[in-house]
Amino acid sequence: MVFPCIIATGKYVPDRLVTNREIECALGEPVDKWLQQNVGIKQRYFLDEDQTTSDLVVEAVRVALNRVGIAAKEIDLLICSTDTPDWFSPATASAVLSKLGVKDTPGFDVNSACSGWVNALDLAARRIMTDPAIRYIVVAGAYAMSRFLDMQDKYTATLFGDGAGVVILTRSDKQHWLGSSFRSFNEDYDALGIFTGGAACPATLENIQRFGPPSVKFMKKIPSGFNRENWPVVMKNACEQAGVSLAQVNHFYFTQLNLHTIQAVMGDLEQPLAKAHCIMDKYGYTGSACLPMTLDDAVELGLGPESGELLLFTASGGGITMASSLWRWL
């Protein structure tokens, strides 16, 4: 039987560093101390004017390809998770492959907001197990939310950053993907997102004059303990599929939105915080890109994972969607 395994990681952030101090200047009020103490964010990176989402993915893919000596033409499929695509249509994945110089490799986008990369990873795993023609799949998470920020809105302008992270999957005769779990809270689909510019509220001149350009907004207050309460459910479900306890997991990679939430969840699970690598202090919140970026950052810093260790990816995002996936490192 054939199983999927992760053989490489990569990430990329644009050059433009945006400190909390710069955000303060845009807002006209102090936020640095609060952000560092309550969220854990010190800085983030924004796209340059001539960059877009696909450019971030291209650079992250190149990093991963170089690490394992694979040429872009050897990619059999690219799945791109993003809710800030280059365009509504066509798929950003197609632009990425074109920019990599690949003419006929298929690709498609996945959008389940910030949990999308875990969904894409699950899709890629199943594709490898069911399609004997596939050898390498690139699973990318990408975020260019700076394009959709209202810099006068302190609830969003303070949080988001841009970046891309990828993994490369290939075939193995040993089981490395152990299970996934998903949840949705669809009654809160309208809590957070970009609610103008689409079919429900097209970007007509009248709508732009009334609502402003498309921008990300918190439309409802999400309870502060929402992720703390619900993450453990999908985490335990993923582990139960493999007959593994949470205590056996060596590395936890979470949505990088709030450091205190991660600390609280690890405490609730009675797991050492050292198992949960965090990057929001350096990169801000990069949505569907933050999980592969966190994994790559740990790899670059020599913080694991090591061969045979268990990794648990857990994400949540607008919709509200949640996902968790358990893997054994090659």
Side-chain angles (χ1 to χ4, degrees):
M1 189 170 180
V2 173
F3 300 98
C5 65
I6 299 171
I7 59 168
T9 67
K11 72 173 180 301
Y12 177 79
V13 294
D15 292 333
R16 184 187 168 196
L17 173 65
V18 180
T19 64
N20 286 349
R21 176 58 182 159
E22 184 173 338
I23 300 296
E24 287 183 333
C25 292
L27 291 171
E29 62 178 286
V31 293
D32 175 58
K33 183 177 180 180
W34 185 89
L35 275 173
Q36 292 201 46
Q37 291 182 349
N38 293 279
V39 184
I41 294 175
K42 297 179 181 179
Q43 60 184 42
R44 75 287 290 148
Y45 292 84
F46 283 178
L47 290 172
D48 290 330
E49 290 185 2
D50 61 348
Q51 288 181 306
T52 189
T53 305
S54 60
D55 295 319
L56 303 181
V57 179
V58 166
E59 296 305 321
V61 171
R62 285 174 174 160
V63 170
L65 292 174
N66 288 337
R67 285 180 174 164
V68 285
I70 297 173
K73 64 182 180 181
E74 295 181 78
I75 299 170
D76 296 301
L77 176 66
L78 186 145
I79 306 176
C80 182
S81 168
T82 185
D83 55 349
T84 59
D86 285 10
W87 321 276
F88 282 159
S89 179
T92 297
S94 298
V96 171
L97 290 163
S98 178
K99 291 176 181 181
L100 287 169
V102 180
K103 295 183 179 180
D104 55 2
T105 296
F108 61 88
D109 290 359
V110 170
N111 179 5
S112 52
C114 303
S115 69
W117 184 80
V118 180
N119 284 271
L121 187 66
D122 182 89
L123 287 172
R126 297 175 190 276
R127 197 68 175 264
I128 282 180
M129 294 179 70
T130 57
D131 189 340
I134 287 181
R135 186 179 180 190
Y136 297 117
I137 299 181
V138 174
V139 185
Y143 216 52
M145 194 57 81
S146 68
R147 287 284 196 266
F148 303 97
L149 291 181
D150 175 357
M151 295 308 295
Q152 303 304 306
D153 179 3
K154 68 179 180 180
Y155 299 106
T156 55
T158 53
L159 299 177
F160 298 102
D162 300 334
V166 307
V167 297
I168 300 176
L169 302 187
T170 194
R171 304 161 70 84
S172 173
D173 59 359
K174 297 180 180 179
Q175 189 171 4
H176 294 275
W177 172 51
L178 303 177
S180 300
S181 177
F182 305 92
R183 294 187 75 191
S184 289
F185 303 84
N186 298 318
E187 67 276 13
D188 291 319
Y189 77 93
D190 53 355
L192 167 65
I194 302 170
F195 294 103
T196 60
C201 186
T204 61
L205 179 60
E206 178 183 357
N207 282 337
I208 291 175
Q209 289 175 337
R210 181 180 177 185
F211 302 109
S215 60
V216 63
K217 293 185 182 298
F218 286 98
M219 305 299 288
K220 292 181 179 178
K221 183 174 176 57
I222 301 172
S224 59
F226 189 83
N227 285 335
R228 180 179 182 178
E229 177 182 350
N230 291 292
W231 276 353
V233 177
V234 289
M235 295 167 70
K236 291 174 182 177
N237 286 344
C239 288
E240 286 173 359
Q241 292 178 32
V244 169
S245 70
L246 285 167
Q248 291 175 276
V249 175
N250 303 100
H251 302 277
F252 295 86
Y253 300 106
F254 293 99
T255 290
Q256 298 287 295
L257 181 58
N258 188 300
L259 177 60
H260 289 332
T261 298
I262 295 173
Q263 291 171 333
V265 169
M266 293 298 285
D268 292 344
L269 298 175
E270 299 182 340
Q271 295 299 300
L273 187 59
K275 286 186 176 184
H277 185 56
C278 294
I279 63 168
M280 75 278 289
D281 59 324
K282 297 186 287 187
Y283 301 117
Y285 180 47
T286 55
S288 56
C290 66
L291 284 176
M293 286 179 63
T294 304
L295 172 61
D296 181 76
D297 195 70
V299 169
E300 284 191 331
L301 295 174
L303 299 176
E306 297 182 359
S307 179
E309 289 189 329
L310 294 176
L311 294 64
L312 187 61
F313 300 105
T314 303
S316 55
I320 294 174
T321 60
M322 286 192 176
S324 192
S325 192
L326 181 68
W327 291 72
R328 189 178 301 278
W329 196 245
L330 184 64

